[in-house]
Amino acid sequence: MLLRWYSTKWFLSSIILLLEIFSNVANGQSCLPLNSWPIVEANWSSCSVLSDGPVTINNIYAQCMFLNVPINWNTTNFTTCTQTIQVFVKRYFLLGYQNQSHHLWRIPGGGGIPVTSLELEAVGVVSALNGSVSIYVTDKRGVGQSSLIECPTSIVKNFTACLPYIRDNEYRLKQNTYTNTARDLEYILKVIMGSNRQNLNSNQRVILMGSSQGTYLLQRYLHVTQDNEQVDGVILDSVLPTDITRLVHGDKYLNYMFLDLFTRCAQDEEGCAQYFEDKNPMRALYTYKMQEDFQTNSSCLSLLHTTTEDIAKKMSYIFYPNMMQLFPALIYRINRCNLDDQNVLGHFLNVTQPPNEDGAVGYSILVELNNNFAELWSPFNPEETNPSCDYLKGASMNTFASTHVMPDVYCPIQQYQILGYPTDQYYRKYPTKMTKLPVLLLHGDMDQALPVPIARHFSKQYSLINSNFTYIEMPRTGHTATNAAPMTGEEGNCGWNLAATFVISPKFEPDRSCLNKISQIDFSGTTIKSKQAAMQYFGTDNLWGIKKTDETITNTAMNIKYAFSICISIFIIYLTSF
């Protein structure tokens, strides 16, 4: 009886195996072994310059293609049946220059932001550089059009509702690593350039340029390709180092730069400090916090049915160079709290909303959370532990500007321990091979997400292995320097000027002349841009809410006081002369 059971089992197993083989052969899938993943021809096809817009703008065109890549690059057993995903690639070029211009690859910040976010930038750069540079982009795996992985419902608003989807895609998420994504980029470049750059002219350059979290990906790319460098240069825009950055400190970083902003206000006596008692904006800042914490029923914010926590979140949403000059005036108005101030505060609370990323087309918060939990949330070594969620909540509540993303989003999700993947040999490490690859780092000294000491640390460490590394610290510049360094009296951005001149310079030397043109912080609210920002967020272009007559009276009183003090001094000198 037992022998018959084994015979039957063997027979059924053989039938199933034969059916699988027959099915593979019938479908043209004989699962033949591959020595390496095949480099295919670049199969470009025309597509719209803007994803939801016209085919061309100002003679700028776009082409797109999809490439199949293995879900897991970390294998030596590639076959024709290896499971794959698609990655999306797009290029923007001036007609006629697509095969002779330099290639500038733009890697966006954030782990889950699609390249559609770079469309307008790409058109502007290609146009400004008259076709000498074409912009290339690729959606990271799991993002945008690259085999998107994203919960059908809001993962932030209802994580538990997303759990079945996460479990169904668990294998995909475990392979959605920074290393596999870096290998995707390496493969895409081989397809477009050719394995030995045979598809390029000798004078064509290939430059990689990543912003914020995109710099983390590029560091992984540099690590996995250190023995076979593909590109001619790299630009890091607001660097996120591999070895020291932890997301748990995000609100502390933001608060450091908020305090730095008020320190700069104190140094600007005419434009900012003069409005505060004793010309001390820092004291006013702490007075605001204490008054609102203690006077729960009679404080200014209580009249508006809000709290310092809400104000802190609102300010974090617009902490950018063209907006941050509003904050000292906002605190001044809260402390003063007349009827006009209450109207302004009400307007500010109403119009200041969080970035609309949750649910945006192509944006994958799931991919971003998965990557961050694996590599940017975890401690540096196994002996460390993350701060408790109660600690993070308290830290966020006791800051002047904070997102509250860590205690409100990451902490609850961490309890499920379902997102993330095992780290590999590249985790928290720099490349080990010495190189002379031209690398430019641009970092703002007012970067609110990655304060400047982080960039200085990276510069010190990376320069040990790269003798051709250039670090430019940009004054009055916020996060992502290519978009956070507006210039006085000029269109464009100093960060992009530095990047563009680095790309086209014969010796990869960026033109630093724009550093002296970066706009001063207009605390007084007198420039056109400041008035526009005030109108948008305050509902008035009168930033401080002080009438001209009031200023005249104040200035006159100060002049009289100054003249009187001079007279007293002269009188005392006269008396002591006898």
Side-chain angles (χ1 to χ4, degrees):
M1 186 71 178
L2 185 62
L3 180 62
R4 181 182 298 175
W5 183 84
Y6 276 116
S7 299
T8 303
K9 182 179 179 182
W10 176 85
F11 177 76
L12 291 174
S13 300
S14 300
I15 292 295
I16 292 171
L17 179 61
L18 288 171
L19 286 173
E20 287 181 351
I21 293 173
F22 176 78
S23 176
N24 286 333
V25 172
N27 291 318
Q29 296 179 349
S30 56
C31 296
L32 299 176
L34 297 170
N35 293 328
S36 60
W37 197 249
I39 307 299
V40 299
E41 291 290 328
N43 187 24
W44 294 109
S45 61
S46 296
C47 55
S48 297
V49 173
L50 304 182
S51 55
D52 58 351
V55 172
T56 180
I57 298 176
N58 297 330
N59 212 32
I60 297 168
Y61 287 79
Q63 291 179 331
C64 301
M65 69 174 168
F66 290 90
L67 294 171
N68 291 321
V69 296
I71 287 184
N72 181 15
W73 283 99
N74 189 27
T75 179
T76 57
N77 299 316
F78 289 135
T79 73
T80 53
C81 298
T82 294
Q83 192 174 359
T84 63
I85 56 174
Q86 282 191 325
V87 291
F88 172 72
V89 187
K90 187 173 183 177
R91 65 177 180 176
Y92 303 82
F93 54 89
L94 191 66
L95 187 63
Y97 290 81
Q98 60 268 38
N99 295 320
Q100 52 184 300
S101 56
H102 300 308
H103 296 193
L104 179 57
W105 285 84
R106 281 293 282 126
I107 311 297
I113 298 177
V115 293
T116 51
S117 63
L118 300 175
E119 290 178 335
L120 295 177
E121 176 192 275
V123 171
V125 171
V126 172
S127 178
L129 297 179
N130 298 316
S132 62
V133 170
S134 294
I135 299 294
Y136 285 71
V137 295
T138 176
D139 276 324
K140 294 183 283 289
R141 55 169 52 202
V143 177
Q145 299 185 63
S146 292
S147 298
L148 179 67
I149 314 175
E150 178 65 330
C151 293
T153 58
S154 171
I155 187 173
V156 173
K157 296 176 182 177
N158 190 352
F159 181 76
T160 56
C162 188
L163 286 173
Y165 181 87
I166 292 174
R167 294 190 178 100
D168 289 343
N169 291 275
E170 185 173 0
Y171 177 74
R172 279 278 310 275
L173 288 168
K174 295 303 179 187
Q175 303 305 323
N176 218 84
T177 67
Y178 272 106
T179 299
N180 274 331
T181 306
R183 293 292 187 192
D184 293 342
L185 182 58
E186 178 187 22
Y187 176 75
I188 293 167
L189 289 170
K190 285 181 179 179
V191 169
I192 294 173
M193 298 190 305
S195 296
N196 299 308
R197 297 175 66 108
Q198 66 268 23
N199 299 335
L200 299 178
N201 298 325
S202 59
N203 62 340
Q204 281 183 280
R205 289 178 172 176
V206 178
I207 310 292
L208 303 180
M209 177 177 169
S211 297
S212 190
Q213 200 166 135
T215 68
Y216 190 94
L217 173 60
L218 289 188
Q219 289 171 76
R220 185 62 50 85
Y221 166 85
L222 291 174
H223 207 154
V224 301
T225 60
Q226 66 176 354
D227 294 324
N228 185 24
E229 292 180 346
Q230 292 180 295
V231 299
D232 302 292
V234 173
I235 302 172
L236 304 175
D237 171 24
S238 298
V239 70
L240 192 159
T242 60
D243 60 335
I244 63 167
T245 311
R246 289 179 67 185
L247 292 178
V248 291
H249 301 308
D251 280 346
K252 289 187 358 181
Y253 295 162
L254 187 63
N255 196 52
Y256 293 154
M257 297 319 302
F258 191 85
L259 293 173
D260 179 65
L261 176 69
F262 271 73
T263 300
R264 295 174 188 242
C265 167
Q267 294 168 347
D268 184 357
E269 291 192 10
E270 294 301 319
C272 195
Q274 68 156 324
Y275 296 104
F276 296 94
E277 183 180 356
D278 298 329
K279 295 186 178 181
N280 194 333
M282 292 295 288
R283 182 188 297 169
L285 184 61
Y286 283 94
T287 299
Y288 142 77
K289 187 74 169 173
M290 294 179 71
Q291 282 183 167
E292 295 300 329
D293 285 345
F294 295 157
Q295 300 176 18
T296 54
N297 295 324
S298 59
S299 70
C300 191
L301 296 187
S302 68
L303 296 175
L304 298 168
H305 308 290
T306 190
T307 64
T308 57
E309 185 176 331
D310 291 332
I311 291 290
K313 289 181 181 179
K314 297 285 187 179
M315 289 192 292
S316 75
Y317 300 153
I318 61 169
F319 204 140
Y320 303 110
N322 287 332
M323 306 296 176
M324 60 188 178
Q325 74 272 11
L326 302 177
F327 298 155
L330 184 73
I331 299 303
Y332 173 82
R333 283 177 174 275
I334 293 174
N335 286 344
R336 186 175 61 183
C337 200
N338 61 29
L339 185 60
D340 177 58
D341 296 330
Q342 293 175 41
N343 290 332
V344 165
L345 291 168
H347 184 87
F348 176 80
L349 291 167
N350 184 53
V351 302
T352 309
Q353 300 298 325
N356 187 23
E357 295 174 341
D358 190 12
V361 176
Y363 189 95
S364 179
I365 295 181
L366 178 56
V367 166
E368 184 159 324
L369 290 171
N370 189 62
N371 288 355
N372 290 351
F373 273 115
E375 303 209 26
L376 297 174
W377 175 263
S378 304
F380 299 138
N381 58 66
E383 288 73 34
E384 286 186 272
T385 57
N386 272 328
S388 70
C389 290
D390 286 339
Y391 171 85
L392 291 179
K393 185 175 182 180
S396 295
M397 289 181 66
N398 284 289
T399 53
F400 294 104
S402 54
T403 64
H404 287 258
V405 168
M406 297 307 132
D408 293 353
V409 177
Y410 277 80
C411 274
I413 294 176
Q414 183 192 28
Q415 297 174 5
Y416 292 91
Q417 296 185 343
I418 192 172
L419 292 180
Y421 49 79
T423 53
D424 56 28
Q425 69 269 31
Y426 305 107
Y427 179 60
R428 300 290 186 193
K429 294 183 175 68
Y430 290 94
T432 56
K433 190 173 182 179
M434 300 295 290
T435 180
K436 292 185 179 180
L437 178 72
V439 174
L440 170 66
L441 167 57
L442 305 175
H443 207 97
D445 71 349
M446 294 191 73
D447 191 318
Q448 70 278 19
L450 298 165
V452 72
I454 290 176
R456 293 172 183 171
H457 166 84
F458 174 86
S459 177
K460 181 179 179 180
Q461 297 300 314
Y462 187 67
S463 61
L464 296 176
I465 61 169
N466 190 338
S467 58
N468 201 8
F469 169 66
T470 302
Y471 171 42
I472 299 179
E473 193 171 295
M474 301 173 61
R476 300 177 299 283
T477 299
H479 189 55
T480 60
T482 50
N483 291 303
M487 296 180 290
T488 301
E490 292 188 28
E491 294 298 324
N493 190 284
C494 180
W496 255 114
N497 286 5
L498 290 163
T501 53
F502 174 83
V503 172
I504 63 179
S505 165
K507 295 183 179 181
F508 293 96
E509 294 176 349
D511 181 355
R512 302 172 187 242
S513 61
C514 69
L515 292 171
N516 296 324
K517 302 176 184 178
I518 296 175
S519 301
Q520 299 292 326
I521 304 174
D522 180 31
F523 291 112
S524 61
T526 56
T527 66
I528 293 176
K529 289 182 178 180
S530 291
K531 288 182 179 295
Q532 290 172 341
M535 183 60 71
Q536 180 178 356
Y537 290 103
F538 282 13
T540 174
D541 64 1
N542 188 346
L543 191 60
W544 295 87
I546 296 176
K547 297 178 182 179
K548 294 297 181 182
T549 54
D550 293 342
E551 287 186 340
T552 301
I553 292 171
T554 301
N555 291 335
T556 301
M558 291 177 65
N559 290 336
I560 292 173
K561 181 179 179 181
Y562 178 67
F564 182 73
S565 64
I566 292 176
C567 291
I568 292 294
S569 299
I570 294 173
F571 182 67
I572 291 173
I573 293 172
Y574 173 76
L575 290 177
T576 55
S577 65
F578 289 97

